[in-house]
Amino acid sequence: MKILMAASEATPFAKTGGLADVLGALPVSLQARGEEVAVALPMYRSASPHLKDSERVYDGLAVTLGNTTWVCSIRRLIHRGLPFFFVDCPALYDRDRLYGEAGVDYSDNHIRFGVFAHAVLAIMRGIFRPDVIHCHDWQASLIAALIATKFRLDPTFYGIKRLLTIHNLGYQGLFPKTAVRELGLSQSVMHPSSMEFFGQLNLLKGGIVYSHAINTVSQGYAREIQTEEYGFGLDGLLRSRARDLSGIVNGVDYEEWSPEKDRYIATAYNTDDVSAKQICKRDLLETFGLPATHLKRPVIGIVSRFATQKGFDLIEEIADQLAREDISLTVIGTGEPRYEEMFRRLAETYPDKIAVRVTYSDELSHKIEAGSDMFLMPSRYEPCGLNQIYSLRYGTLPIVRATGGLDDTINERNGFKFREYSGPALLAAIRSALQAFKNPERWQELVRNAMQCDFSWNASAAEYSALYRRMAG
């Protein structure tokens, strides 16, 4: 089948989170299964260095939204054996960040992704006509809504099935009702049965309403988003689409995330010689400026976006108690200023135990995965999560809250879980892990179990192939 994926990010071209990892790996796995796959992305500034060998395949593409016309071009790059199409419009995408700066979204994000949606429709018309248009998150949801409303009589799109994958329901693309006119949409979409959401325009809701099928990135999250607690106001709509809603857990790219092949870590290791992990642990302590004498104490790692969703309010609640435990803590990430400042304060208060880098670095992320003994993910909700799956392959035992994909992938044989969303529950789970660490025989058994878990994309890609065929009838 011919599949066109539309998304706002993909590795190695643009990344803020797990969505990019999915778009960097899933299309390749699908193509290996015999599907014909292409990917459409905005051409951000971060993508430009990768596009030296790209070719222009569409020039002078005019997209009119409201009273403004944007002129774009489409570039094509063959990457890992499949075509990536980049929507080139410097006024909209040539910026320092993908979605906003200093914690504030760009005010014209609806325009940026509105132009992107129309450009993807142009790709479908003239360059790559798919059997399924696979949209990811709110940034691509307008594609499904446009086909079903504004272009419902256009024969170009007849027979093309529309799939929406929700990677995180907490981000919905909410804009004032004035955005309807600015996007050139009919005022009829401002209705509760369409894209209206408490007086605002909700782009993700449009994707849910106007897609033939919806899926999320784990079975647990597919269930959770149909509840009031995790539905972010869309639980009723999602329950009404329950027959069309499914969950497929994300896979991981073991070419990129495996201690046997990792180019960033101090030495390779595998289940046959886990002792070499100690060399990576020593390197991690040295890299983060922590004493090498701490080699025998457990190291807990964190690689994350600093946000309340990720459970950092719980870490804030127990931070001083945690610092009194016999541990070292290595942290990398960026996000909400409140949590950036919290981690800086902790590093200053406990410099011999806690080291923090407020940045994003692939190299440091890999070093934390390989050199830590435990990996902390106390998320309030987690659609799938990838770092806990990376951690399993590195023999770094996850400590997670039992929610969404974390609950689906972690059990008592490969990590530690807590259910109640509270600081004491988190601290109890950490202490359980620390207690297990004191028993080398039990710890090594858990490490071996973790490293033998297989969450490669093969199984997930097979499920997506089956979903496409069900949609096609």
Side-chain angles (χ1 to χ4, degrees):
M1 295 184 69
K2 294 183 70 173
I3 313 298
L4 177 60
M5 293 198 181
S8 59
E9 54 186 88
T11 56
F13 308 107
K15 175 174 177 174
T16 63
L19 170 64
D21 293 319
V22 173
L23 268 292
L26 174 58
V28 177
S29 295
L30 286 168
Q31 183 142 297
R33 294 185 57 80
E35 314 292 8
E36 186 178 351
V37 188
V39 180
L41 299 165
M43 185 174 159
Y44 304 110
R45 183 178 299 172
S46 62
S48 297
H50 300 277
L51 299 182
K52 294 176 183 177
D53 296 325
S54 66
E55 59 174 333
R56 286 181 182 269
V57 293
Y58 198 139
D59 261 328
L61 171 60
V63 176
T64 299
L65 300 182
N67 297 321
T68 305
T69 298
W70 303 89
V71 179
C72 315
S73 61
I74 307 294
R75 290 179 173 270
R76 178 172 58 200
L77 176 73
I78 304 301
H79 173 69
R80 298 184 70 177
L82 52 87
F84 280 71
F85 297 105
F86 293 86
V87 179
D88 186 6
C89 186
L92 296 177
Y93 309 126
D94 186 17
R95 301 182 184 180
D96 287 339
R97 297 287 185 266
L98 304 193
Y99 311 122
E101 298 177 39
V104 179
D105 288 347
Y106 293 128
S107 61
D108 62 346
N109 271 347
H110 59 304
I111 300 297
R112 299 172 76 224
F113 294 105
V115 169
F116 174 64
H118 282 270
V120 172
L121 296 184
I123 293 170
M124 294 168 67
R125 282 194 183 96
I127 305 174
F128 188 95
R129 189 184 192 278
D131 299 305
V132 176
I133 174 68
H134 187 165
C135 304
H136 293 264
D137 275 348
W138 73 262
Q139 293 91 343
S141 288
L142 189 58
I143 298 166
L146 286 171
I147 293 173
T149 59
K150 187 174 183 179
F151 298 102
R152 67 188 181 281
L153 300 180
D154 188 333
T156 304
F157 306 111
Y158 285 178
I160 297 177
K161 299 298 182 180
R162 303 181 293 274
L163 171 64
L164 172 68
T165 294
I166 300 172
H167 295 261
N168 191 332
L169 190 66
Y171 299 91
Q172 297 183 7
L174 292 172
F175 297 97
K177 59 185 178 182
T178 53
V180 175
R181 175 180 48 79
E182 293 168 346
L183 287 170
L185 298 173
S186 166
Q187 288 296 325
S188 65
V189 302
M190 286 300 286
H191 187 275
S193 65
S194 183
M195 300 171 67
E196 188 271 339
F197 187 76
F198 298 100
Q200 292 183 290
L201 179 70
N202 187 321
L203 297 186
L204 183 68
K205 184 181 178 184
I208 296 170
V209 169
Y210 294 113
S211 293
H212 295 101
I214 308 112
N215 86 293
T216 69
V217 289
S218 71
Q219 294 177 347
Y221 193 58
R223 292 190 298 269
E224 287 180 351
I225 61 175
Q226 296 180 65
T227 68
E228 186 175 349
E229 182 178 3
Y230 297 102
F232 290 93
L234 294 176
D235 50 291
L237 172 61
L238 289 163
R239 286 193 297 273
S240 75
R241 297 295 312 273
R243 292 183 61 181
D244 305 312
L245 174 62
S246 61
I248 300 175
V249 69
N250 281 338
V252 300
D253 184 355
Y254 287 133
E255 291 298 312
E256 178 72 16
W257 293 95
S258 171
E260 298 172 295
K261 304 174 182 180
D262 198 323
R263 66 188 184 278
Y264 292 120
I265 64 178
T267 188
Y269 64 93
N270 55 38
T271 51
D272 295 330
D273 184 19
V274 182
S275 63
K277 184 175 169 65
Q278 288 294 99
I279 298 173
C280 296
K281 185 174 180 178
R282 182 184 296 276
D283 176 62
L284 176 64
L285 293 172
E286 181 179 325
T287 299
F288 275 79
L290 292 171
T293 53
H294 291 188
L295 193 60
K296 292 187 178 180
R297 69 169 58 170
V299 173
I300 300 175
I302 294 175
V303 179
S304 181
R305 179 167 44 85
F306 294 163
T308 300
Q309 177 219 322
K310 298 295 185 179
F312 288 109
D313 54 330
L314 299 188
I315 294 177
E316 187 174 44
E317 184 180 341
I318 66 161
D320 292 310
Q321 291 170 278
L322 179 61
R324 288 195 289 270
E325 299 287 341
D326 187 28
I327 63 158
S328 294
L329 181 66
T330 57
V331 183
I332 181 172
T334 62
E336 296 174 21
R338 163 188 173 185
Y339 297 120
E340 290 185 358
E341 180 55 34
M342 174 192 77
F343 278 119
R344 287 191 181 101
R345 176 185 64 80
L346 288 171
E348 291 171 1
T349 306
Y350 306 100
D352 62 332
K353 282 192 167 187
I354 300 175
V356 176
R357 300 287 185 273
V358 181
T359 184
Y360 180 79
S361 162
D362 267 341
E363 180 177 0
L364 293 181
S365 299
H366 283 249
K367 285 181 180 292
I368 286 178
E369 289 289 5
S372 301
D373 298 292
M374 307 160 193
F375 194 92
L376 194 56
M377 292 183 72
S379 302
R380 179 181 295 272
Y381 68 94
E382 193 66 59
C384 177
L386 290 173
N387 278 103
Q388 86 279 11
I389 303 177
Y390 301 153
S391 298
L392 292 173
R393 180 50 62 101
Y394 286 82
T396 300
L397 300 187
I399 304 170
V400 305
R401 181 163 175 264
T403 182
L406 300 179
D407 200 17
D408 286 354
T409 55
I410 305 304
N411 56 53
E412 68 279 357
R413 297 186 68 253
N414 62 16
F416 304 86
K417 287 196 289 194
F418 67 101
R419 294 195 175 276
E420 178 187 324
Y421 191 78
S422 70
L426 167 59
L427 189 59
I430 293 172
R431 285 173 172 165
S432 292
L434 298 180
Q435 191 63 35
F437 186 81
K438 294 177 182 178
N439 183 336
E441 186 175 329
R442 168 162 162 68
W443 189 260
Q444 288 308 309
E445 179 185 2
L446 290 170
V447 168
R448 284 192 297 272
N449 291 343
M451 295 183 73
Q452 289 168 359
C453 292
D454 184 3
F455 288 96
S456 64
W457 270 111
N458 295 335
S460 300
E463 291 190 58
Y464 274 106
S465 289
L467 175 56
Y468 298 146
R469 279 159 178 74
R470 289 197 301 274
M471 292 175 65

